[in-house]
Amino acid sequence: MSKEHGPIDCERLDELLRIAPFHQWLGLTVKSYSSEQIELEMPWREEIISNPMIGSAHGGVLASLIDLTGLYTLLSQGVTAKVTADLRVDYHRPATSGPLIVTGQVVKVGRQISVAESRIVGPDGKLIASGRSAYIC
């Protein structure tokens, strides 16, 4: 297993989310945290709209949320994930309001590659996007 330390607490996870300027700009916060999963929240920002006709968020922002949530899900469990090796995102419906809630779960922890799944829902609880990401450890 590629663990160098044990699981981290919610407060430390929230601190880690604020280290990168991009994460700060997204406004990510830890909504809930357990040994099974994490839940992150991103407030709605007008700057993420890419289709002004329907007011929907850019798919790259949603992909970033899938990627970041997978990474922080692994980090929260003490896995030393370092960089994304693969990312798969399925878009189910447009994100047109927020906040956006992203839930992540560990799929597999390996010595070289670890995998997590993430799901984004809108304020109405409907699935917006889901994905799976693999990380080099």
Side-chain angles (χ1 to χ4, degrees):
M1 214 182 247
S2 63
K3 289 191 176 191
E4 288 183 5
H5 52 80
I8 59 176
D9 62 28
C10 188
E11 185 176 313
R12 177 66 178 137
L13 184 62
D14 209 37
E15 287 174 13
L16 290 173
L17 275 173
R18 297 181 200 291
I19 289 174
F22 181 58
H23 307 170
Q24 291 172 17
W25 182 82
L26 290 173
L28 295 175
T29 57
V30 178
K31 184 172 171 137
S32 70
Y33 167 72
S34 72
S35 61
E36 309 292 314
Q37 67 182 27
I38 66 169
E39 195 173 60
L40 304 179
E41 180 174 282
M42 186 194 98
W44 187 258
R45 300 177 58 103
E46 294 299 310
E47 297 93 341
I48 69 170
I49 293 175
S50 69
N51 183 339
M53 298 296 285
I54 63 171
S56 63
H58 190 282
V61 172
L62 301 177
S64 293
L65 289 175
I66 296 286
D67 184 22
L68 292 169
T69 302
L71 174 65
Y72 283 94
T73 298
L74 291 166
L75 292 175
S76 73
Q77 300 304 308
V79 178
T80 56
K82 297 177 182 173
V83 65
T84 306
D86 191 39
L87 176 64
R88 157 120 184 139
V89 178
D90 293 315
Y91 300 97
H92 305 286
R93 64 177 35 86
T96 56
S97 66
L100 300 175
I101 308 298
V102 193
T103 304
Q105 292 183 304
V106 173
V107 173
K108 179 190 181 295
V109 174
R111 288 186 314 183
Q112 295 182 349
I113 300 284
S114 293
V115 179
E117 289 181 336
S118 302
R119 297 169 51 88
I120 303 172
V121 298
D124 58 2
K126 290 183 178 178
L127 183 63
I128 292 171
S130 60
R132 181 177 279 218
S133 37
Y135 304 88
I136 295 172
C137 298

